[in-house]
């Protein structure tokens, strides 16, 4: 066992974590709903190709969408039943995606993946690819691609920071399924041929830290409670002292970062031969009657999840998919659980902020809080004046969209939104330049 | 399923925000100036009270009249009012002596709010500190009364002679005489003539500590300014450290450093930029004071305000994981 304290990085902010709402509720398995709507694009990269037809009978765990290329992921059914529809519609996040709609027959017939012949690195990586595992921290980058790095690595870092306020599902997992996570970590380390394993956990989760100290071969790092500690680059700095250079990836400094939930998925795929067909999420916020940590079948409508948690209390003004700092607000409730969903947060008028933006007063709090040490006010200023070159010069492309700037902005300026737009414009300009 | 309102608010992340708004900041700055204002009224009586009230009222009136002429409905002006005009008005009043005519702050505050702030785009768009300009406007327009400060109603607590006619600062600068008042008198402002808000340094520091606790200002910056100002003053007197405290505790340095130089809109945007800005400001204060034999803090701040865009152009934050120096070395 090795226990040490993580480094504090300069800047960053302190956000009230609000985890008390749900952190004491064990993870419950929500019964599968009558109908599931499984999106064929739940990851970064090309959408999967549907391989079932309307009217087909599918079993739980059956492949319904096949990965389309290397950077893509398989999609599995989360219930047994009949395919009712394969259609494209606009979801609650405003994305137009293809969905496979399956009616649950309630029989719960399950198929498993074939048993693994051996535990060679190649076999494990192939299994992770087959099981459709993607980075479950939120981005949804196919894990198998991450496990075949271009540079030699010397450490595997497990992200147990969970710095987003409200979310507690990682914390619950670390306490309840420590052994499973440990096994998942060992399989991942075997796939990467690594012996140095670091797990970073924020100091506000003493129970999770306690749970992992019993393993001899893990380096447990107690991270300072600081937002955004779960950001890949900051986690690497806090645990190893290495700084990922601007525009480079974690493998450039010899590390691979994986999320807690991804490790559970790896364990289930390798040892239990189960594909990834559920999401583990927190339903919280002052707008929900009973905050809960849930294991939900993929494609479950958000309305069903909210109803399972006792429904809304009064004055819900905003529903967020993901954490409140980086998650996306829903336009309407026509949204269905994806692999990468880590929470549904129902915010009341008091919790969220709907004031309209006023003049920037140049207080430079955004620059003083930016964990990437950018200057958000300049990026915003140049974006709004249409000068995208200067927006790029002030670091728009390095932004990790953590929201530290907009969180503390006294003028309530939508800094993150403007920087996201600036990024889009810069990318457009780049692709136009190439042609 | 619909929520109770039937409408979901849609916006970009983050969906949680800190409770602080511009209004909250301005109200707290006003609160931090309350002790100074009270001490001013205690020292200088009814006239000080009237000057403060008139200045506040005229600055607020100036903003409302400007927007009404611009065609903004009254209700919206009231809704968008962020109290920054009140801060300007109060600061203008605090930099006046009680011998100024009561209509003086009307011109000063209106000029500060309309010309310096609103014409350039409102709160945060001013390129120099409005209160400083308001003060200088009055200072230049009413020169006949300048220099004849009235003494406060409370005499020295430690038995020093009352210094009237010229501020103690001018004595130090011009005649190289240390003030007859003790440091405690200088700190409390007892027996010291001067502006309404500049005499009681203890009250100003109290307000500054309040703002520092709320993290509205970073207390290090004004301390740097006061420090460099005091050190240069000492150096100019042949390194006689007896001059250190009297130099920084006389005149408007403390009020200027903690409440005027720290104005958000007219300070650099980076930590390093701020260190440079405040250090240079302190040096400029002491240098100008010695060169002109008069109180020049406001002019120094005005001058340095104009250099802020330059500092911001050259001193920038380096992004996390930026290794420019190494790369340059490698390429060599």
């Amino acid at each position: 066992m090795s226990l040490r304290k993580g480094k504090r990085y300069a800047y960053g902010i302190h956000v009230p974590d609000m985890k008390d709402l749900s952190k004491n509720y064990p993870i419950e398995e929500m019964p599968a709903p009558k109908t599931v709507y499984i999106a064929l694009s739940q990851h970064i990269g090309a959408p999967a190709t549907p391989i079932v037809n309307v009217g087909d009978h599918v079993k739980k765990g059956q492949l319904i969408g096949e990965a389309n290329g290397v950077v893509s992921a398989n999609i599995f059914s989360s219930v047994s039943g009949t395919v009712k529809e394969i259609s494209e519609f606009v979801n609650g996040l405003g994305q137009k995606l293809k969905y496979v709609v399956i009616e649950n027959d309630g029989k719960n017939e399950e198929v498993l993946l074939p048993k693994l012949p051996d535990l060679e690195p190649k076999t494990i990586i192939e299994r992770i690819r087959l099981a459709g595992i993607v980075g479950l921290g939120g981005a949804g980058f196919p894990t198998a691609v991450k496990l075949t790095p271009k540079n030699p690595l010397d450490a595997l870092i497990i992200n147990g920071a969970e710095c987003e306020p409200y979310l507690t599902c990682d914390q619950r997992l670390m306490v309840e399924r420590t052994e499973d996570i440990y096994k998942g970590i060992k399989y991942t380390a075997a796939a990467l041929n690594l012996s140095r394993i670091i797990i970073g956990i924020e100091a506000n989760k003493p129970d999770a830290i306690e749970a992992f100290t019993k393993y001899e071969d893990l380096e447990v790092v107690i991270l300072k409670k600081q937002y955004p500690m779960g950001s890949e680059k900051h986690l690497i700095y806090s645990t190893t002292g290495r700084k990922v250079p601007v525009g480079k990836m974690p493998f450039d400094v010899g590390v691979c970062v994986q999320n807690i939930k991804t490790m559970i998925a790896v364990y289930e795929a390798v040892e239990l031969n189960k594909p990834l067909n559920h999401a583990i999420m927190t339903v919280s916020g002052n707008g929900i009657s009973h905050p809960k940590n849930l294991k939900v079948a993929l494609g479950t409508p958000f309305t069903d999840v909210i109803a399972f948690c006792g429904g809304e209390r009064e004055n819900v003004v905003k529903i967020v998919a993901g954490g409140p700092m980086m998650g996306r607000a829903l336009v309407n409730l026509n949204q269905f659980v994806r692999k990468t969903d880590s929470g549904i947060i129902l915010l009341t008028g008091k919790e969220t902020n709907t004031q309209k933006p006023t003049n920037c007063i140049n207080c430079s709090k955004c620059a003083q809080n930016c964990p990437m040490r950018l200057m958000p006010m300049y990026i915003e200023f140049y974006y709004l004046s249409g000068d995208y070159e200067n927006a790029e010069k002030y670091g728009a492309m390095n932004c990790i969209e953590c929201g530290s700037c907009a969180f503390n902005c006294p003028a309530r300026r939508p800094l993150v939104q403007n920087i996201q737009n600036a990024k889009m414009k810069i990318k457009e300009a780049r692709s136009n330049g190439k042609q | 399923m619909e929520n109770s309102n039937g409408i979901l608010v849609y916006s970009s992340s983050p969906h949680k925000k800190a409770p602080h708004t511009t209004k909250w900041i301005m109200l707290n700055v006003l609160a931090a100036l309350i002790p100074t204002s009270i001490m001013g009224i205690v020292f200088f009586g009814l006239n000080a009270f009237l000057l403060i009230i008139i200045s506040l009222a005229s600055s607020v009136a100036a903003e409302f009249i400007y927007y009404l002429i611009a065609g903004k409905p009254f209700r919206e002006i009231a809704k968008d009012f962020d109290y920054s005009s009140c801060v300007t008005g109060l600061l203008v009043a605090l930099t006046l002596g009680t011998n100024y005519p009561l209509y003086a702050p009307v011109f000063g505050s209106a000029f500060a709010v309309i010309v310096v702030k609103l014409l350039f785009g409102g709160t945060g768009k001013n390129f120099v500190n409005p209160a400083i300009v308001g003060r200088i406007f009055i200072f230049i327009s009413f020169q006949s009364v300048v220099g004849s400060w009235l003494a406060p109603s409370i005499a020295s607590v430690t038995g020093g002679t009352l210094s009237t006619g010229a501020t103690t600062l001018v004595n130090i600068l011009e005649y190289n005489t240390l003030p007859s008042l003790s440091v405690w008198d200088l700190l409390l402002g007892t027996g010291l003539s001067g502006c309404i808000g500049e005499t009681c340094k203890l009250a100003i520091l109290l307000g500054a500590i309040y703002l520092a606790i709320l993290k509205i200002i970073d207390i290090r910056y004004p301390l740097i300014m006061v420090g460099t100002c005091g050190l240069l003053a000492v150096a100019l007197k042949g390194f006689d450290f007896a001059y250190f405290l009297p130099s920084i505790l006389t005149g408007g340095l403390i009020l200027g450093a903690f409440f005027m130089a720290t104005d958000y809109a007219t300070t650099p945007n980076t930590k390093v930029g701020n260190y440079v800005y405040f250090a240079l400001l302190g040096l400029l204060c002491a240098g100008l004071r010695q060169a002109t034999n008069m109180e020049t803090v406001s002019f120094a701040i005005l001058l340095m305000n104009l250099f802020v865009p330059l500092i911001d152009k050259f001193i920038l934050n380096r992004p996390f994981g930026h290794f420019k120096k190494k790369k340059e070395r490698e390429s060599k």
Side-chain angles (χ1 to χ4, degrees), chain A residues 2 46 52 54 59 79 94 102 124 136 138 148 169 184 204 211 221 241 266 269 289 299 334 375 388 430 433 435:
Chain A
S2 117
V52 286
V54 177
K59 287 177 178 171
V79 292
I102 302 169
I124 295 177
L136 298 179
T148 42
C169 47
N204 61 353
V221 180
V266 168
S289 305
N334 189 25
M375 310 200 75
Y388 307 129
R430 275 185 191 171
Q435 280 165 8

Side-chain angles (χ1 to χ4, degrees), chain B residues 82-161:
Chain B
D82 59 10
Y83 300 96
S84 68
S85 297
C86 293
V87 174
T88 305
L90 185 55
L91 281 173
V92 168
L94 290 178
T95 55
L96 296 180
T98 36
N99 49 352
Y100 278 96
L102 288 178
Y103 57 84
V106 177
F107 294 105
S109 300
F111 185 82
V113 169
I114 292 178
V115 177
V116 182
K117 199 180 83 175
L118 295 177
L119 280 183
F120 285 91
T123 314
K125 301 287 181 213
N126 49 300
F127 66 103
V128 289
N129 188 330
I132 290 283
V133 179
R135 180 205 155 101
I136 291 171
F137 184 85
I138 298 173
F139 184 78
I140 293 169
S141 312
F142 295 87
Q143 277 199 326
S144 58
V145 286
V146 172
S148 57
W149 307 103
L150 294 184
S153 57
I154 297 174
S156 160
V157 285
T158 49
T161 47

Side-chain angles (χ1 to χ4, degrees), chain A residues 246 312 317-318 324 352 359 407 412, chain B residues 3 9 11 15 18 121 320-321:
Chain A
V246 170
E312 291 176 17
V317 295
K318 212 180 228 183
T352 183
N359 263 358
F407 177 82
R412 297 280 177 257
Chain B
N3 66 63
V9 175
S11 79
H15 308 289
F320 185 73

Side-chain angles (χ1 to χ4, degrees), chain B residues 214-258:
Chain B
L214 291 179
K215 291 188 177 167
I216 291 175
I217 62 168
D218 190 332
I219 200 94
R220 283 173 297 180
Y221 304 147
L223 286 177
I224 289 174
M225 173 177 166
V226 171
T228 53
C229 180
L231 286 177
L232 184 64
V234 165
L236 289 170
K237 296 284 177 199
F239 290 98
D240 184 352
F241 276 90
Y243 283 102
F244 186 78
L245 282 176
S247 316
I248 62 174
L249 290 178
T250 50
L253 180 67
I254 300 288
L255 185 70
F258 287 94

Side-chain angles (χ1 to χ4, degrees), chain A residues 115-180:
Chain A
K115 226 179 160 198
L116 282 183
D118 53 50
L119 287 175
E120 291 298 308
K122 265 189 184 167
T123 335
I124 295 177
I125 293 174
E126 189 45 45
R127 169 48 53 95
I128 288 170
R129 191 197 315 278
L130 180 69
I133 296 173
V134 296
L136 298 179
F141 190 76
T143 304
V145 182
K146 238 176 159 181
L147 295 181
T148 42
K150 290 172 196 154
N151 301 20
L153 305 184
D154 65 354
L156 171 67
I157 300 177
I158 306 301
N159 185 354
E162 200 172 47
C163 58
E164 277 271 8
Y166 292 93
L167 301 187
T168 52
C169 47
D170 282 8
Q171 182 177 3
R172 290 309 311 172
L173 282 175
M174 285 190 276
V175 175
E176 292 171 27
R177 298 182 66 183
T178 321
E179 189 63 33
D180 298 352

